[in-house]
Amino acid sequence: MRNFFKDKNTQSTASSVVSACLGMLNFALLARFINTELLGEWIFFIALLGLLEMARTGLLGNAFQKLYFDKTSESHKRAVIGSTWKLAALTNAVVLIASFLLYLLFSILDISFAYTHFLWWIPAAMIGSQATNIGVWIMSAREKYISVLWIMCSIQVVFMIGIYLITINVLDSNDLIYILIASQIIPGLIITSLGYNGISNWKKGRKKDVSVLFNFGKYTFGTSLGTSLLKSSDTFLLMPFLGPAAVTIYGVPEKVLRVIEVPLPGFIAAYFPPMAQVNQQEGAAALRDLLLRSMGYLFWLLICPLGLVWFFTPELIALIAGSEFSESQEVFKIFILYIILIPFDRLNGMALDILNQPKFNLRKVTIMVLVNILGDLLVLTNGGGITGVAYVSIATYFSGILVGFWYLNDFIPINLKDIFKLGWIQLMKKSGLSNIFYST
C-alpha cells in the first residue's frame, strides 16, 4: 500500500482530485449564495474560458512535454522552457488583439450582445493564469506532483477566500471575475518567486524551438480545442435554446462528477512521460502493452466508486447544490455512464500523439465534436431537453473510441480482451493483492 501512494500516477491523480474537491466546494458555496440565473451565466463564462485554456494547453503544454522529453541535456531543456514562455506571450497577444477586434466589430455594427464584457475578461484571465500553467507543466514534466498539488490547491483556496468575502458582504457576487483573476495571479507570483515556472530561462528561448513547439502544437491545439468543445458545446447550445437556468441544471452534475472525472486526466497526464519514453526506447510493442494495461486499469478502478455514486445520486446532488436542483439527478446518472468511456478515448488519443500521428487524433476529435454538436442540435430543435443532450454525450464518446482504435490498429493491434485482463492484473499489483489472486 505504501508503494501505491509513492506511485507517480497516484500522486498526479491526488493533486487533481484534491483540487477538484476544493473546486466542487467552491461551486457548492456559489450555488447557495448566488441566484440560478447568475450561476448559469458564471458556468457559461467558465466554459468559454475553459475552452480557450484547453486550446492553449494543446498548443503549448502538450508540445512542451513532448519536446522536453526529446531533449537529453539540461541546457536544451532550459531552452525549451524559455521558448515555451515566448510562444505563450505571443499566444496571449493574439487572444488580446482578437478580443479587441471583436469588441470593435460589435461596436461598429451596433450588435447587442449580453456578454460583450466577457471579451475583456477572457484575455485578462488567460494572461493572469500563464505563470501558474507553465509552472504546472514544468513540475509535471519533472514528475514533481506534490508541487503540482500545492499550486493547484493554492488557486482554489484563494478563490474560496473570495467567495467567503462575498458571503460576509465585503465583496459583491458581481466581483466573481476579479476573484477568479486574483486566484491565478497570487499563486503565480509565489511560484515565480520560487522559480517553479522557469521564467528565468526566457532569454534561453530559441526561434528554432519556438518553431518546433508551434509545428507540433498546431495539431494538439486542434485536438485540445475539440476536446474542450466536447465538454462546453452543450453549454454553448443550451444557453440560446433554453437559457441560463437550464445551463445551471445541466452544469450541477458536471461539477459534482468532476471529483470523479478529474482523476482521469491526472492518471492520463502521468502516463504520458512513461509512454513516450517506452515508445522511444523499446518501440511500439512495449507501448501497446503499457497502453492496454493503462486502459484496463482505469476501467476497473472506476467501477466501484461510480457504482456508489450512482446509488447515492439524490443525496449527493442535495448535499452539494441543494434540494432545488433535484432535476439534475437524471442527467447526473447519464454522465456516470459516459465517464466509464473516457479512459479508452483519452488514452488512444495520447497514443496517437506519442506515435507522432497527431493529425489522426485531431481527425478523431473532430468527428466527436461533429457528433456532439449535430446530436445536440437534433435534440434541441425537436423539443428535447437537457436529458436528451446528456445522452448525446454517450454516443459522442463511443464514436471517439471506435475511430481512435481504428487509427491505432495501423500501428499497434488493439484487443479488448487484453485490455480488461491486463488492467485487472495491474489493479491487483498496485493494490497489493496480486499475491492473493495470482500465485507465482
Side-chain angles (χ1 to χ4, degrees), residues 94-109:
V94 169
V95 172
L96 184 60
I97 292 170
S99 296
F100 173 75
L101 292 176
L102 280 173
Y103 187 84
L104 192 63
L105 180 64
F106 287 166
S107 300
I108 293 172
L109 298 178

Side-chain angles (χ1 to χ4, degrees), residues 222-378:
T223 302
S224 294
L225 182 64
T227 301
S228 185
L229 272 173
L230 290 176
K231 291 184 176 181
S232 55
S233 59
D234 294 343
T235 299
F236 296 151
L237 290 171
L238 282 170
M239 193 70 159
F241 276 95
L242 301 178
V247 170
T248 302
I249 293 171
Y250 193 83
V252 166
E254 285 188 318
K255 297 297 181 183
V256 176
L257 276 175
R258 184 166 173 74
V259 177
I260 295 177
E261 184 182 353
V262 159
L264 298 181
F267 265 103
I268 292 167
Y271 277 119
F272 192 96
M275 285 174 67
Q277 290 175 356
V278 161
N279 182 59
Q280 186 179 42
Q281 297 171 5
E282 302 178 42
L287 174 63
R288 175 189 182 273
D289 180 71
L290 180 56
L291 173 65
L292 299 191
R293 277 193 288 116
S294 303
M295 287 180 177
Y297 172 63
L298 291 176
F299 171 81
W300 292 116
L301 196 65
L302 283 172
I303 291 297
C304 183
L306 287 178
L308 289 173
V309 169
W310 177 288
F311 185 76
F312 291 107
T313 290
E315 291 79 9
L316 281 170
I317 294 292
L319 174 66
I320 294 168
S323 57
E324 63 269 26
F325 290 101
S326 58
E327 295 178 71
S328 299
Q329 292 179 21
E330 188 173 356
V331 176
F332 186 85
K333 290 183 176 181
I334 297 170
F335 284 171
I336 290 174
L337 296 177
Y338 95 74
I339 284 178
I340 296 175
L341 305 176
I342 290 178
F344 301 96
D345 170 64
R346 299 284 173 81
L347 283 168
N348 71 36
M350 178 184 289
L352 287 169
D353 283 343
I354 289 171
L355 290 165
N356 290 315
Q357 301 298 327
K359 61 182 180 182
F360 290 139
N361 195 18
L362 176 58
R363 291 177 189 174
K364 183 200 77 165
V365 174
T366 301
I367 291 170
M368 292 175 70
V369 170
L370 289 174
V371 170
N372 197 66
I373 292 176
L374 293 176
D376 285 353
L377 288 172
L378 183 64

Side-chain angles (χ1 to χ4, degrees), residues 57 60-61 64-65 84 130 133-141:
T57 298
L60 300 171
F64 163 77
Q65 290 216 16
T84 301
Q130 189 61 73
N133 284 347
I134 293 184
V136 168
W137 298 339
I138 293 173
M139 292 299 106
S140 297

